[in-house]
Amino acid sequence: MAELQVKDIKNREIVYGCAFNIDFDRHSWYGGQVVHNICKPVKGMVKKPEDSSSYGRFYLLKRDGSTRQSGLISTESRHFAQTNEECIEIYNQLIRDKIEKLRKIADELENELLTLHDE
């Protein structure tokens, strides 16, 4: 997998970005929904600030190649790759990592179950 680090991406460079995170223990401010950050691989442009005092932004690209102005996405909330195929690998690995973490949590929780004979 060839994940790009934000610091290595040039200003206005076209890359693929993705994200996958579900936090079942946190809820949004909007009425108890599970907090999640899921973005299947998409093509976009990274724009970096002039002074590097803040994070850059990831702008999704329209079919005509122009940037969508809605949804200012921080570069810190995405994983990046040069190609769609590499980004798919990163996205799938993020899902596998979450599955493994949840399996471990489930196993630990099962060990906490009490039986009628426990004191």
Side-chain angles (χ1 to χ4, degrees):
M1 243 180 328
E3 182 171 348
L4 295 173
Q5 300 302 311
V6 174
K7 65 181 175 64
D8 297 328
I9 300 173
K10 297 178 182 92
N11 188 36
R12 298 187 171 277
E13 184 173 353
I14 306 295
V15 294
Y16 290 83
C18 67
F20 188 90
N21 188 29
I22 298 174
D23 189 342
F24 294 102
D25 291 327
R26 289 186 51 212
H27 296 281
S28 73
W29 295 96
Y30 307 109
Q33 297 174 342
V34 172
V35 174
H36 64 279
N37 180 13
I38 298 173
C39 174
K40 292 182 180 177
V42 293
K43 192 174 190 178
M45 176 191 300
V46 170
K47 292 185 182 177
K48 294 185 171 184
E50 299 279 330
D51 61 2
S52 72
S53 63
S54 61
Y55 299 119
R57 298 289 182 199
F58 181 60
Y59 292 86
L60 303 180
L61 295 180
K62 297 178 189 177
R63 290 185 189 259
D64 67 3
S66 63
T67 58
R68 284 185 14 200
Q69 295 301 319
S70 62
L72 297 174
I73 303 164
S74 169
T75 54
E76 295 303 306
S77 68
R78 295 291 181 265
H79 297 265
F80 298 104
Q82 290 288 347
T83 68
N84 187 49
E85 291 77 16
E86 291 170 335
C87 202
I88 289 170
E89 287 180 30
I90 292 167
Y91 181 79
N92 287 342
Q93 188 60 50
L94 292 169
I95 294 172
R96 286 186 201 100
D97 291 347
K98 180 57 84 171
I99 290 169
E100 191 60 35
K101 180 179 179 180
L102 292 173
R103 281 190 180 133
K104 183 179 176 188
I105 290 169
D107 290 344
E108 290 172 3
L109 289 174
E110 283 185 349
N111 291 334
E112 294 299 321
L113 291 172
L114 300 175
T115 64
L116 292 176
H117 303 291
D118 290 337
E119 294 185 25

